[in-house]
Amino acid sequence: MTDYNVITQTEEQKEAGAFVHAQGMATVDGFGRVSQRWFNQTIDYDAALARMMSQQKERHDIVTDLRGVTFSPTDNGVKVCIEGNCFDGTRWAMSQLCGANALDVGTTCLNQLATDVGDFETLVHVMNNGKRKIQGELLRRFRTYTDGTLRAVVSDSYSPVENSWMIDTIRSVVPNGRVSHFDKSDADNLVLNVLIPDAMFPHNGSDYGGGASLQNSEIGRYCVESCPFAFSTICMNGNVWGREDGIAYRQRHRGIMNLTELRKELSDCITKQLALVAVHNQTLIESREWKVTTGINRLFASIVKEHTLGKSMFAEFKSDWTNFSQEENAFGVVDAITRTAQRFGQDEMVALNSIGGELIHAGRTNWDRMNAKAGSMTDKEFAKFAS
């Protein structure tokens, strides 16, 4: 069992987003720290389940021997034919199919052979060569959809946790919660926030709001994860102000999952931390003293380079930093990264939030390392991102 720390806010976090109160808050609905206009865009658990189940009606899993699956090139990619039916593999499904748990031909070829039909013909040869080397029966589960797509290929050791179970679990912990940012989810992947009613806090919502971010994937994109958080306000656009995350609970999809124990762990993760929200967070206070010593542009460029995010992400970070925080310290940098995350889809949002959290929770030594790396970046390297 994890020994969870207290989730706390700085005085600056508590003041962050104070302007939101002028928009009108959802106090009557029990969420006094949430803009009424954003609250109206949230949904209840039943609506979330209904949307997800509607999409799930369009999918069909096929368990079969990989040796019997065939591949053929098209003008736009590769057709994967399973038991007489052919599907267009999504990027994720193709990476799983070419990966170590299936054909074991490596995923680099997906990037190198992705331009024209000649590339796709070569890719099919590579995939067939991998299939030729399979020793004995190799059962795999293929997740297909009625739109003709293949969206996942997983092994028999993969133990999926259903997204509907995740929603029912959070409902048992946070009755009457509101599902926020549900647009990041689909039938296979759950990425959302649940807002916790003021009535669940001793102060009745007068000082802060609370929530829990959830993620899960039935097709191997994410592990089971829950992370409670405190916040100052949520504005009409869904931006979370003064947010401070607690410790996330994570469980990989491996082996036989004990759902009873998993439900208990998830419940403890949320309730034990949110019950202890305090006034000050020493780490966040200290992070404002972790200065940017090499210039904010070089630091963002160094972060983008380290995490292979691409030139466009540098511009996104810089824009959010310029328009909001403008603090040349760790707090300001993380604030910009997590704001940027809210504008992207499932994978990008999860990755960017992880990067932001890691910058704070890895401590001062790691921050100094980032400053040093930024300082050692040559002008030529820097120009690749900032030009």
Side-chain angles (χ1 to χ4, degrees), residues 305-377:
K305 179 184 178 182
E306 177 160 314
H307 295 280
T308 321
L309 298 177
K311 181 178 178 179
S312 62
M313 199 61 73
F314 170 86
E316 297 283 352
F317 292 164
K318 183 61 187 304
S319 175
D320 280 324
W321 181 85
T322 301
N323 292 330
F324 294 99
S325 169
Q326 296 190 19
E327 293 189 42
E328 294 197 34
N329 53 35
F331 183 89
V333 169
V334 172
D335 179 75
I337 292 172
T338 54
R339 286 183 189 281
T340 297
Q342 296 184 58
R343 294 195 296 276
F344 287 84
Q346 294 171 350
D347 292 347
E348 294 90 348
M349 186 180 74
V350 171
L352 292 176
N353 281 332
S354 295
I355 291 168
E358 179 183 314
L359 283 172
I360 293 294
H361 294 298
R364 178 60 183 266
T365 300
N366 182 68
W367 179 254
D368 290 341
R369 180 187 66 84
M370 289 302 303
N371 265 313
K373 289 192 69 173
S376 66
M377 179 177 284

Side-chain angles (χ1 to χ4, degrees), residues 167-385:
I167 292 176
D168 282 336
T169 295
I170 192 66
R171 189 208 300 257
S172 70
V173 181
V174 187
N176 302 314
R178 298 293 294 185
V179 177
S180 180
H181 302 85
F182 189 71
D183 60 308
K184 307 296 183 183
S185 300
D186 58 35
D188 298 317
N189 306 292
L190 187 73
V191 181
L192 54 80
N193 292 329
V194 171
L195 306 182
I196 298 175
D198 297 338
M200 291 189 66
F201 298 104
H203 57 75
N204 200 28
S206 60
D207 296 322
Y208 56 83
S213 61
L214 293 182
Q215 70 179 48
N216 178 57
S217 177
E218 297 183 15
I219 60 173
R221 282 185 179 271
Y222 322 117
C223 61
V224 176
E225 180 172 320
S226 171
C227 184
F229 61 88
F231 63 88
S232 175
T233 56
I234 298 180
C235 73
M236 62 184 182
N237 296 320
N239 287 329
V240 182
W241 293 79
R243 173 168 172 160
E244 169 58 13
D245 286 348
I247 298 174
Y249 173 82
R250 296 182 178 90
Q251 174 64 53
R252 297 186 67 189
H253 297 263
R254 285 289 182 270
I256 299 175
M257 302 283 279
N258 184 329
L259 295 183
T260 300
E261 185 63 26
L262 180 58
R263 185 184 294 265
K264 181 179 183 301
E265 290 282 354
L266 288 170
S267 299
D268 284 347
C269 173
I270 297 168
T271 57
K272 288 190 175 183
Q273 292 186 79
L274 288 174
L276 296 172
V277 177
V279 178
H280 292 284
N281 182 306
Q282 194 61 37
T283 303
L284 263 292
I285 292 173
E286 291 175 356
S287 75
R288 276 195 153 91
E289 301 302 319
W290 304 352
K291 302 301 182 182
V292 176
T293 60
T294 55
I296 194 70
N297 289 342
R298 283 189 179 272
L299 189 69
F300 279 135
S302 181
I303 292 170
V304 167
K305 179 184 178 182
E306 177 160 314
H307 295 280
T308 321
L309 298 177
K311 181 178 178 179
S312 62
M313 199 61 73
F314 170 86
E316 297 283 352
F317 292 164
K318 183 61 187 304
S319 175
D320 280 324
W321 181 85
T322 301
N323 292 330
F324 294 99
S325 169
Q326 296 190 19
E327 293 189 42
E328 294 197 34
N329 53 35
F331 183 89
V333 169
V334 172
D335 179 75
I337 292 172
T338 54
R339 286 183 189 281
T340 297
Q342 296 184 58
R343 294 195 296 276
F344 287 84
Q346 294 171 350
D347 292 347
E348 294 90 348
M349 186 180 74
V350 171
L352 292 176
N353 281 332
S354 295
I355 291 168
E358 179 183 314
L359 283 172
I360 293 294
H361 294 298
R364 178 60 183 266
T365 300
N366 182 68
W367 179 254
D368 290 341
R369 180 187 66 84
M370 289 302 303
N371 265 313
K373 289 192 69 173
S376 66
M377 179 177 284
T378 67
D379 290 341
K380 184 177 180 180
E381 288 178 313
F382 176 65
K384 293 178 181 178
F385 304 99

Side-chain angles (χ1 to χ4, degrees), residues 78-153:
V78 174
K79 284 282 187 185
V80 180
C81 297
I82 311 163
E83 297 182 351
N85 296 304
C86 295
F87 305 90
D88 295 312
T90 64
R91 171 69 190 199
W92 178 249
M94 292 299 291
S95 68
Q96 290 179 312
L97 189 55
C98 291
N101 286 325
L103 297 174
D104 196 19
V105 296
T107 56
T108 303
C109 57
L110 295 177
N111 294 323
Q112 297 177 337
L113 302 171
T115 304
D116 53 34
V117 67
D119 281 349
F120 301 133
E121 288 174 349
T122 303
L123 179 58
V124 166
H125 283 302
V126 172
M127 295 171 71
N128 281 329
N129 188 55
K131 186 173 71 169
R132 177 180 64 84
K133 297 178 180 180
I134 295 174
Q135 301 293 319
E137 184 180 58
L138 189 64
L139 293 178
R140 289 295 178 261
R141 182 181 300 274
F142 296 80
R143 174 151 292 181
T144 67
Y145 274 75
T146 56
D147 65 357
T149 57
L150 168 68
R151 302 194 189 178
V153 182

Side-chain angles (χ1 to χ4, degrees), residues 12-27 31-41 195 209 231-243 324 339 342:
E12 290 87 352
Q13 282 179 304
K14 291 172 69 174
E15 291 301 319
F19 71 92
V20 178
H21 291 278
Q23 299 174 1
M25 311 305 284
T27 306
F31 294 82
R33 289 276 160 173
V34 180
S35 165
Q36 184 70 59
R37 291 174 66 177
W38 180 254
F39 178 84
N40 294 341
Q41 297 183 57
L195 306 182
F231 63 88
S232 175
T233 56
I234 298 180
C235 73
M236 62 184 182
N237 296 320
N239 287 329
V240 182
W241 293 79
R243 173 168 172 160
F324 294 99
R339 286 183 189 281
Q342 296 184 58

